[in-house]
Amino acid sequence: MNLTQLRSLIAVAEAGSFTAAAEAIGVTQSGMSQALAGLEEALGVKLLVRQRHGVELTAFGERALDHARAALAQLEMIRQEAAEVRGEEIGSIRIAAFPSVFTTVLSPLLHRFRSLHPGIKVVALETDDVEVIAWLESGAVDLGVVLNPPEDSDAIPIGQDAWLGVLPMGHRFARRDMVSIAELAAEPFVLATGGCHVHARTLTEAVGLSLPDVRMEVRDWTSAIALVREGVGVGIVPESTLTEKRKGIRTVRLDPPLVRRFGLKKSPAHELSRASSLLIEMVKR
């Protein structure tokens, strides 16, 4: 009996198929089949039953699965304690955020953290801002970047991003430095959501306005900017989504200014791990 066999048993139980399980732990399907066949031979008991739509554990396989998970958990504790003796930090963090944060604020933070703690595995999960909160509440992730956290929130500020108006170069507002939301909302409009529930439509609704002439609606900020460049309409986008090369477009500040704020929040569903604590401490510094 060896670690590969135990990991294979756990992976098959969780994935429900040899193919998905093999991909999950980075081995070939034939290698996994051989490992499990060897485990069954060593035990002299059937662990798995192949079904039409996948693989199921036998009754004994279910009991063996519990022991396999416990064994790997104990081995992980040995690894962690040995790392502590060596003065190293190990562990893992699951962190969720929405797309535009990954490419701007979060990426340099995670890069720095990995350089400080190479033994800690960081799993970054991309989703929309509403699901980030749902994952935090359920404990599916350890940490998450939340959008516009309330002032009394325990979220740690990690940055903010100004909203800007984006115009085609020949637009009549292009020579101005500032434009109101009301003026932009009345124009033919290109709406981008960026995978967030806060975007140009919600910003205009918050001040009692609407977007009466939406010519195109897209998810991706880059696509919206390209459509503005082609003269389809105007738009409102976060400043961080704009590249340094802004040929064909003109950006203007909003009057009054608007920003979106980002906060790093821990899951309330379980205690903060040592690895997550280290990331939070780095962010606070």
Side-chain angles (χ1 to χ4, degrees), residues 117-184:
H117 304 289
I120 296 178
K121 179 182 179 182
V122 179
V123 179
L125 304 171
E126 184 179 288
T127 185
D128 61 63
D129 59 321
V130 174
E131 195 160 27
V132 168
I133 296 173
W135 286 358
L136 284 169
E137 291 176 349
S138 69
V141 294
D142 304 300
L143 302 171
V145 178
V146 295
L147 182 62
N148 296 333
E151 294 297 332
D152 58 352
S153 169
D154 62 352
I156 303 162
I158 62 172
Q160 66 179 35
D161 196 8
W163 290 97
L164 296 179
V166 186
L167 314 167
M169 284 300 293
H171 196 279
R172 70 180 188 279
F173 295 154
R175 293 185 180 182
R176 293 167 54 178
D177 292 327
M178 302 185 73
V179 178
S180 70
I181 289 184
E183 289 174 307
L184 290 173

Side-chain angles (χ1 to χ4, degrees), residues 51-67:
Q51 302 288 358
R52 185 175 181 181
H53 300 293
V55 182
E56 291 184 1
L57 270 63
T58 63
F60 178 77
E62 293 285 356
R63 299 205 303 273
L65 175 64
D66 292 337
H67 293 306

Side-chain angles (χ1 to χ4, degrees), residues 177-200:
D177 292 327
M178 302 185 73
V179 178
S180 70
I181 289 184
E183 289 174 307
L184 290 173
E187 296 291 306
F189 208 90
V190 176
L191 175 64
T193 62
C196 295
H197 78 286
V198 179
H199 45 73

Side-chain angles (χ1 to χ4, degrees), residues 22 56 93 96 101 127 180 190 208 215 240 247 259 269 274 284:
E56 291 184 1
I93 305 170
V101 171
T127 185
S180 70
V190 176
R215 299 293 175 90
S240 64
K247 184 178 179 180
V259 298
R274 170 63 178 167
K284 286 182 177 179

